[in-house]
Amino acid sequence: MAKERPAGRGFFITFEGGDGAGKTTQIKLLSEYFRSAGQTAIVTREPGGTPVGESIRALLLDPSSAMLPRTEALLYLAARAEHVERVIKPALAVGSHVLCDRFSDSTHVYQGIARGLDAGALLRLDAWAADGLTPDITFLLDAPPECLSGRRRKRGGPDRMEEEGLTFQRAVRAGFLSLAAQNTNRILVIDARQSIDKIQTAVRFHIKDKFPESK
Ligand code: Z5A
């Protein structure tokens, strides 16, 4: 459950979903909305967002990095610890909003549900890595993985996670939907098959509803 946001702190907003769901596109548009309203918003991503996090990202997504699921989980969490302490918390503390492409929900779904790692252990380790930080609101861009295949960026071929097949992607989708059903107060599900503009309209509607002070 998301904790109460301290007065004056920025909004911590995360976007989740399958590969190619449109998170990067929507985050960019939302950052433009905040800037046009005279508010500061930083755009960041996981894994990544810091020099160490970007190095870990390269290792995690490199198709030649053979690793155990537990190793993979610990690397995502290591990148998160750096990111939270060095980027996210300082930005929120000075009143900047943080728009983050993936966060803890991705770990629970990809490593916990799709890879089948111990959910309780992951929850505890993630809370430690994130120093207890949870998003104020999360947008889950949802669509059947078959519908997103044409959108996936190829960037010179699939990365290590994208190499997983359709069964894995279906488990990821089901995992996200189940997480959303358990966290209806925080996670909003939006149909990612809609147009970019329609999705952004829905995102802004929910932002204004959740944070009336953002208008
Ligand atoms: N991962 C994990 O396992 N555990 C963790 O804890 C964390 C992450 C944090 C990161 O990959 C991988 O790490 C990810 C989960 C795992 N693996 N997978 N699979 P990433 O960051 O490189 O990739 P991604 O986040 O999965 O996806 P992406 O390529 O960045 O896609 P996106 O941001 O969701 O989509 P986009 O770039 O905005 O859009 C893709 C294309 O579709 C682009 O050409 C757009 O113009 C187009 N687009 C966007 N929206 C639309 C709509 N609405 N209609 C039509 N076309 C659209």
Side-chain angles (χ1 to χ4, degrees):
M1 186 162 165
K3 289 180 206 135
E4 201 59 32
R5 188 173 55 86
R9 204 199 77 170
F11 315 144
F12 182 31
I13 302 167
T14 59
F15 283 72
E16 300 280 0
D19 188 32
K23 302 177 301 301
T24 313
T25 304
Q26 294 302 325
I27 286 176
K28 184 170 176 286
L29 293 171
L30 186 59
S31 75
E32 286 164 10
Y33 164 75
F34 281 126
R35 284 186 195 124
S36 69
Q39 300 174 34
T40 316
I42 67 156
V43 169
T44 188
R45 67 176 180 182
E46 289 214 352
T50 64
V52 167
E54 290 296 329
S55 299
I56 293 174
R57 178 186 179 88
L59 182 63
L60 276 165
L61 300 185
D62 181 348
S64 70
S65 301
M67 64 179 85
L68 294 169
R70 264 183 296 145
T71 310
E72 179 185 283
L74 291 168
L75 286 172
Y76 279 113
L77 295 175
R80 182 159 308 135
E82 284 287 311
H83 196 206
V84 166
E85 212 55 43
R86 297 190 190 279
V87 175
I88 302 179
K89 281 193 169 177
L92 294 174
V94 296
S96 174
H97 309 315
V98 175
L99 314 185
C100 189
D101 193 334
R102 300 193 180 280
F103 196 65
S104 300
D105 296 325
S106 279
T107 313
H108 300 310
V109 168
Y110 282 88
Q111 282 64 54
I113 297 172
R115 296 270 194 238
L117 292 179
D118 183 302
L122 275 180
L123 262 180
R124 286 192 296 279
L125 285 167
D126 176 62
W128 181 61
D131 198 25
L133 183 71
T134 53
D136 298 308
I137 190 167
T138 299
F139 293 100
L140 170 58
L141 303 185
D142 171 67
E146 305 87 314
C147 298
L148 302 177
S149 54
R151 287 194 204 166
R152 285 179 199 127
R153 291 192 204 138
K154 285 301 161 235
R155 291 177 295 226
D159 65 38
R160 199 178 60 84
M161 301 300 287
E162 289 166 354
E163 279 184 345
E164 298 290 346
L166 205 52
T167 307
F168 184 85
Q169 300 301 338
R170 287 191 180 128
V172 164
R173 183 188 185 208
F176 272 127
L177 288 173
S178 150
L179 208 57
Q182 293 161 38
N183 294 275
T184 49
N185 58 327
R186 174 176 65 83
I187 305 181
L188 286 145
V189 184
I190 296 179
D191 187 339
R193 291 167 292 187
Q194 300 178 95
S195 71
I196 291 172
D197 285 355
K198 259 196 157 169
I199 296 171
Q200 183 62 199
T201 301
V203 167
R204 291 182 187 188
F205 173 84
H206 288 298
I207 291 289
K208 288 176 200 163
D209 185 53
K210 171 104 183 168
F211 310 113
E213 66 272 39
S214 72
K215 284 187 248 184

